[in-house]
Amino acid sequence: MNIILLGAPGAGKGTQAEGLAKRRGLVQLSTGEMLRAAVKAGTEIGKKAEAIMKSGGLVSDDLVISIISDRIDEPDCAKGFILDGFPRTLKQAAALRKMLAEKGKSLDAVIELRVDDAVLIGRIEKRAADAMAAGLPVRADDNAETLKLRLLAYYRETAPLVGYYFAHDQLRTVDGMAPIEDVARQIDDILDGKA
């Protein structure tokens, strides 16, 4: 089962992907982690990515798709994978669709975690307060001003994916404002064909 989780920053994609991976035996794929792993492993793609990142540039869509392509060929992805944080643009979505088709694979579900912007800001502020209270480091982007900038980028670049996947008859939406367990249940119902 191959799944994409969509949603604004702070919507709970990472939390839901982690739980879903455990419940379903799927692999959670984060493009950032895959890039770092390719660099560390010294693969050909990793070397290209490292040179770009060291120069302060953004890794191209083609390079990211190559890394994802290599990663989903690994045996642990045989049961399926969850893409968390990718694709972020329509161009990436089209490239992902093409790459999967070339491998004889497809997406089984694209699930949008829909959350109100005001709730997102509250969640981010709570996450920062909880980290401080626990004596843990606070993520640099865990503040309302940074979140507003991230939301602008999300609406400009990533939100159009909702329409793209709706047009391809793959989009399902859950209430991301529900408690974590309820969101997980909604996702499971979709994947089990109950919703």
Side-chain angles (χ1 to χ4, degrees), residues 15-33:
T15 299
Q16 291 301 327
E18 188 178 311
L20 190 57
K22 288 177 185 169
R23 291 192 309 277
R24 303 268 173 165
L26 304 174
V27 178
Q28 179 182 358
L29 299 179
S30 157
T31 52
E33 289 176 18

Side-chain angles (χ1 to χ4, degrees), residues 63-99:
L63 205 53
V64 174
I65 287 289
S66 293
I67 288 173
I68 292 170
S69 177
D70 288 352
R71 181 64 182 93
I72 65 176
D73 287 340
E74 293 182 25
D76 64 339
C77 287
K79 281 185 75 174
F81 55 84
I82 305 160
L83 284 171
D84 166 19
F86 187 88
R88 291 184 189 268
T89 66
L90 292 171
K91 183 178 174 191
Q92 290 175 352
L96 176 65
R97 176 180 288 278
K98 180 178 181 231
M99 180 269 290

Side-chain angles (χ1 to χ4, degrees), residues 111-131:
I111 301 172
E112 176 195 18
L113 281 68
R114 191 169 291 163
V115 180
D116 181 83
D117 291 350
V119 172
L120 289 175
I121 292 169
R123 281 185 181 179
I124 293 297
E125 289 172 338
K126 181 182 181 326
R127 185 166 70 189
D130 289 350

